[in-house]
Amino acid sequence: GEDVEQSLFLSVREGDSSVINCTYTDSSSTYLYWYKQEPGAGLQLLTYIFSNMDMKQDQRLTVLLNKKDKHLSLRIADTQTGDSAIYFCAVDNYGQNFVFGPGTRLSVLP
Amino acid sequence: NAGVTQTPKFQVLKTGQSMTLQCAQDMNHNSMYWYRQDPGMGLRLIYYSASEGTTDKGEVPNGYNVSRLNKREFSLRLESAAPSQTSVYFCASRTDSTFSYNEQFFGPGTRLTVL
């Protein structure tokens, strides 16, 4: 089945850029997603990218997709303390369900 | 529009006890899901329901049962709780687009401890 991998931790200084990486095994997903989980809460959709695109920009967020290498990344510009959260990469499993990565815990240091 | 609601928010059980986690959504979605979240393992799918009256096993179904009571409600039952089921449980529902992206909406979670 589909496998989605992420590094578990990332620590950055406030004001720096954060880059969270994700790799996946099955390239059939039409859309790929980034979800954010704040402490004590459920996940919320942060952004997504269509598989025919290689980049999508949404304010401080930039998503890069390399289909050949099956690599997805999320860049957060000017990272703030409010960005501290767990970020999940997800792919659509043939329209049945999403497969989530293990999540990357982003810590933003003042 | 409450989105996805879950009850209870917290629960402590003794080994062998049973309980049902309740979930409801008011977005008229066909698909609903139950996940468990454990540190370092992300979200693992327990069961899902593609439509009212249907349920399917996910990655980790053992020790759980589900009921899709109607389009709104999808419950998760632990018949005989074990310490390995200590986790945070999330219910979700999903949009049904075939022409655009889909979004999963998550409930706030149930934090379950089994002693």
Side-chain angles (χ1 to χ4, degrees), chain B residues 87-106:
Chain B
S87 188
V88 181
Y89 291 85
F90 288 100
C91 177
S93 69
R94 197 184 93 148
T95 56
D96 302 308
S97 174
T98 52
F99 302 106
S100 181
Y101 76 99
N102 279 294
E103 182 173 352
Q104 281 201 349
F105 293 84
F106 285 81

Side-chain angles (χ1 to χ4, degrees), chain A residues 59-107:
Chain A
Q59 299 182 325
R60 292 191 298 121
L61 305 177
T62 303
V63 179
L64 296 178
L65 175 60
N66 182 326
K67 281 197 78 172
K68 175 175 164 290
D69 294 339
K70 297 179 185 175
H71 183 267
L72 183 72
S73 69
L74 173 71
R75 178 176 180 270
I76 305 173
D78 187 25
T79 311
Q80 302 297 308
T81 53
D83 295 322
S84 293
I86 303 176
Y87 292 81
F88 292 88
C89 169
V91 299
D92 199 329
N93 184 32
Y94 297 100
Q96 291 184 332
N97 62 281
F98 286 8
V99 177
F100 289 87
T104 300
R105 184 179 295 273
L106 175 64
S107 298

